Amino acid sequence: MPKERLYLFDTTLRDGAQTNGVDFTLHDKMAIAGMLDDLGIDYVEGGYPGANPTDTKLFSEDRKLSTTFTAFGMTRRPGRSTSNDPGLVALLDAKADAICFVAKSWDYHVRVALQTTEEENLASIRDSVKAAKATGREVLLDCEHFFDGYKANPDYALACAKAAYEAGARWVVLCDTNGGTLPHEVETIVGAVVKHIPGEHVGIHAHNDTEQAVANSFAAVRAGARQIQGTLNGLGERCGNANLVSIIPTLKLKPDYADRFEIGVSDEKLQSLTHVSRALDELLNRAPNRHAPYVGDSAFATKAGIHASAIVKELEGDLASAEHVPENGNRREPARAKSYEHVAPESIGNRRKLLVSDQAGRANVLAELERIGIKVDKDDPRITRLLEEVKNREAMGYAYESADASFDVLARRMMGQVPDFFFVERFDVNVEHRINAKGERIAVSSAVVKVKIGEETLISAGEGNGPVNALDVALRKDLGKYQRYIEKLELTDYRVRILNAGTEAVTRVLIESEDENGDHWATIGVSPNIIDASFQALMDSIVYKLVKSGAPA
Ligand SMILES: [Zn+2]
């Protein structure tokens, strides 16, 4: 039986950006949009052009994304024509593939908040949808407070939704804006709506105020809605939005949904979900939720005891049987300790954590080595050493799941595959505070690096807007014969987090780099000293680039 297509709409960059303490830069927004696009999300709502300079800039730039990049904004104001509403005109000028309008659908709000008539609100919906459609864009309409509106006045709420659909909106999105609706109510109300608007044009936008945004999204799908809106990690104001990071694997891995529906996220991309979730946390400089369903560090952790050893036995059995029959017949499933885990952690890129034995750790390390293209015999003693090293470092605060390139360098080094390209004999960083000629207090940072390359010793100095920047400038100023490989290396992000490891605080530095091919990688450094932590991350980035470019020893 052919599967029905279900569409995913991400609003991390718009609704998610409403979260307290979240302030995405343009670079953050582009990075997140890129991640969502790569994951296979159908729609990425980038923001509200005209509402703030970042979003206006975002929608004035060309992007190379295959997702439907969507701009959000209001329908025309009451009493104005579409061409005489500057907000709407700016929205239609945005470089966006789709326009998502928001409109009131609760009669009470129309009267009190909009201070207009019910009919004028309907006319505003119709006119705005038509105006956006006339520009050749796909149009969506978010019906704000739809469920509360429906409970108060079903005819009017429905009239708003129908006005948008009949004017040509591709999607009418039913929003549980204050997040108080319960799943059985959502199912009933969506069921009533799809009698008037075909389900393949109906979307659900749920907030998490009763911790049921995910359940409400599924309730809507069961009732016929075919678009789910949500955010990465459930980011969003108050208690958040529906969490796509929980919704996606449920759609992909639970037969009730997987057998009926198809989404834009492939099985392969599903394996990057844990990484995507943690990458967002890193960007927000937050510690990932260890207990997050599917992707949390503890989601597949089993405490020492009979469970853990039973899982090991099952896994050994699984790995030993050459012909592993997938449960659902059409998908090859990774080995899974079936009796204790509801899905295979690898399918979402997470890891099993068995706190009783090293075997799972070994399997993880082996899988990682295979992923980065290092062939090694599974009984190679170096694997045990690498595993020990990773464990020790993780205890110190390293987090290799967010620093793939540092893991790569560490693994290759332990496998004897990293040449001694260069050796930093010493470096000096100086921060000077002084009063300049204009009488202003200024801080000047400088660094001197002494590098040995073969028999040659090079000394470089650099200045920067801070000590780490100065060190980076000095380090990359002259690497002799390796200079040409790192010429186009750019640091695109630098983040610092103070970790409390026992009694002492340590600093974790994460650096993101990019090269001339547009490849990105992340490296990490941990030390009580921020300069030293930064130095480690910088070194890893340079060494990774040299290895990747095949630079000779
Ligand atoms: Zn919302």
Side-chain angles (χ1 to χ4, degrees):
M1 202 177 68
K3 294 183 187 180
E4 255 187 279
R5 183 71 158 85
L6 202 62
Y7 294 83
L8 298 176
F9 182 108
D10 180 279
T11 182
T12 304
L13 301 179
R14 202 272 302 167
D15 227 2
Q18 303 296 318
T19 315
N20 259 351
V22 168
D23 190 12
F24 293 129
T25 62
L26 188 63
H27 174 261
D28 292 342
K29 284 206 163 194
M30 297 292 257
I32 295 169
M35 255 176 4
L36 291 164
D37 184 42
D38 186 61
L39 187 60
I41 302 297
D42 303 291
Y43 296 82
V44 172
E45 192 166 51
Y48 189 170
N52 62 66
T54 306
D55 286 4
T56 306
K57 183 101 204 312
L58 179 67
F59 281 98
S60 64
E61 296 194 351
D62 286 317
R63 295 160 306 262
K64 288 183 222 75
L65 300 175
S66 37
T67 187
T68 302
F69 200 70
T70 307
F72 173 89
M74 310 275 237
T75 50
R76 72 157 173 79
R77 282 150 66 184
R80 294 230 182 176
S81 71
T82 51
S83 54
N84 194 22
D85 181 333
L88 183 67
V89 171
L91 180 61
L92 298 184
D93 277 345
K95 284 192 182 174
D97 310 311
I99 305 280
C100 181
F101 288 110
V102 60
K104 307 238 177 274
S105 55
W106 186 352
D107 59 352
Y108 171 77
H109 281 177
V110 171
R111 286 195 304 274
V112 176
L114 274 186
Q115 301 208 313
T116 188
T117 64
E118 292 178 13
E119 185 41 51
E120 172 60 6
N121 184 51
L122 294 176
S124 156
I125 292 173
R126 278 191 293 266
D127 294 348
S128 306
V129 169
K130 280 183 188 156
K133 240 193 113 79
T135 65
R137 257 76 146 262
E138 189 174 328
V139 187
L140 301 90
L141 183 93
D142 278 358
C143 295
E144 210 184 22
H145 292 284
F146 183 84
F147 294 91
D148 299 296
Y150 189 93
K151 286 184 214 168
N153 182 346
D155 290 342
Y156 188 68
L158 200 53
C160 294
K162 275 165 77 177
Y165 176 62
E166 283 160 10
R170 164 73 182 85
W171 293 102
V172 178
V173 183
L174 312 180
C175 302
D176 184 28
T177 309
N178 68 21
T181 312
L182 302 177
H184 66 277
E185 298 174 302
V186 169
E187 198 157 353
T188 307
I189 295 174
V190 174
V193 171
V194 299
K195 291 199 173 88
H196 302 270
I197 299 170
E200 61 265 28
H201 294 279
V202 174
I204 177 75
H205 176 112
H207 278 262
N208 202 31
D209 297 70
T210 71
E211 192 135 31
Q212 301 190 83
V214 168
N216 279 343
S217 304
F218 285 115
V221 168
R222 280 197 304 274
R226 291 297 174 259
Q227 184 192 93
I228 301 178
Q229 299 204 343
T231 59
L232 288 178
N233 298 345
L235 199 69
E237 63 182 329
R238 304 190 313 273
C239 317
N241 285 55
N243 185 357
L244 287 180
V245 174
S246 298
I247 289 172
I248 292 168
T250 300
L251 289 172
K252 294 283 296 177
L253 301 173
K254 297 293 170 183
D256 277 356
Y257 294 102
D259 294 349
R260 266 187 78 189
F261 298 110
E262 204 167 41
I263 58 173
V265 180
S266 66
D267 294 353
E268 190 202 333
K269 290 298 176 188
L270 184 64
Q271 292 174 17
S272 70
L273 193 67
T274 299
H275 173 77
V276 167
S277 166
R278 293 186 192 172
L280 180 76
D281 286 325
E282 282 301 345
L283 213 112
L284 295 171
N285 216 358
R286 292 179 168 185
N289 174 8
R290 302 182 63 84
H291 302 286
Y294 293 108
V295 298
D297 220 24
S298 300
F300 299 96
T302 306
K303 262 201 181 165
I306 49 164
H307 287 185
S309 51
I311 290 177
V312 171
K313 286 205 185 88
E314 276 192 31
L315 278 175
E316 282 169 347
D318 255 354
L319 295 170
S321 67
E323 206 38 56
H324 177 67
V325 184
E327 250 173 35
N328 56 10
N330 57 6
R331 193 178 302 123
R332 249 201 82 79
E333 248 189 77
R336 153 154 86 92
K338 291 181 202 66
S339 43
Y340 298 95
E341 291 169 350
H342 73 114
V343 296
E346 298 83 0
S347 56
I348 44 245
N350 204 349
R351 293 194 246 172
R352 173 175 301 113
K353 287 227 162 125
L354 300 183
L355 309 172
V356 72
S357 91
D358 279 353
Q359 271 159 295
R362 270 186 88 85
N364 288 333
V365 166
L366 268 171
E368 277 300 296
L369 291 176
E370 196 185 305
R371 192 181 59 77
I372 61 178
I374 296 179
K375 283 214 181 338
V376 58
D377 186 83
K378 70 173 174 47
D379 298 318
D380 193 315
R382 289 176 301 183
I383 295 174
T384 312
R385 288 207 295 275
L386 175 59
L387 182 60
E388 282 308 311
E389 187 66 26
V390 168
K391 276 189 182 167
N392 287 339
R393 285 168 173 249
E394 289 193 332
M396 285 159 65
Y398 286 82
Y400 284 105
E401 72 272 11
S402 4
D404 47 354
S406 281
F407 177 80
D408 190 302
V409 168
L410 177 69
R412 284 180 201 279
R413 209 165 249 150
M414 298 205 62
M415 298 296 153
Q417 292 187 3
V418 178
D420 294 323
F421 296 115
F422 62 92
F423 177 68
V424 177
E425 256 180 21
R426 57 172 290 174
F427 68 79
D428 254 303
V429 175
N430 185 46
V431 180
E432 189 191 350
H433 251 271
R434 60 180 161 84
I435 313 287
N436 70 6
K438 290 184 198 155
E440 301 156 337
R441 178 167 283 279
I442 55 162
V444 184
S445 301
S446 57
V448 178
V449 179
K450 189 173 173 190
V451 186
K452 229 175 152 203
I453 303 172
E455 292 307 302
E456 199 183 4
T457 300
L458 298 168
I459 297 177
S460 310
E463 278 194 4
N465 54 23
V468 174
N469 182 228
L471 178 63
D472 177 41
V473 170
L475 193 59
R476 295 198 288 144
K477 193 176 243 172
D478 188 4
L479 267 191
K481 61 175 175 170
Y482 298 118
Q483 190 60 23
R484 67 188 178 93
Y485 296 100
I486 61 165
E487 210 85 82
K488 296 277 164 59
L489 177 67
E490 250 184 83
L491 303 190
T492 53
D493 205 5
Y494 173 84
R495 286 189 307 278
V496 177
R497 187 182 295 161
I498 310 295
L499 309 168
N500 279 312
T503 51
E504 272 167 279
V506 295
T507 307
R508 174 156 91 199
V509 167
L510 272 171
I511 287 178
E512 224 176 82
S513 311
E514 190 183 323
D515 70 4
E516 64 277 15
N517 307 318
D519 288 341
H520 290 260
W521 60 89
T523 53
I524 192 169
V526 173
S527 164
N529 180 315
I530 185 172
I531 306 283
D532 184 45
S534 307
F535 175 72
Q536 294 171 22
L538 285 171
M539 287 289 286
D540 272 6
S541 177
I542 295 171
V543 170
Y544 178 79
K545 171 64 178 158
L546 293 178
V547 170
K548 175 176 164 311
S549 309

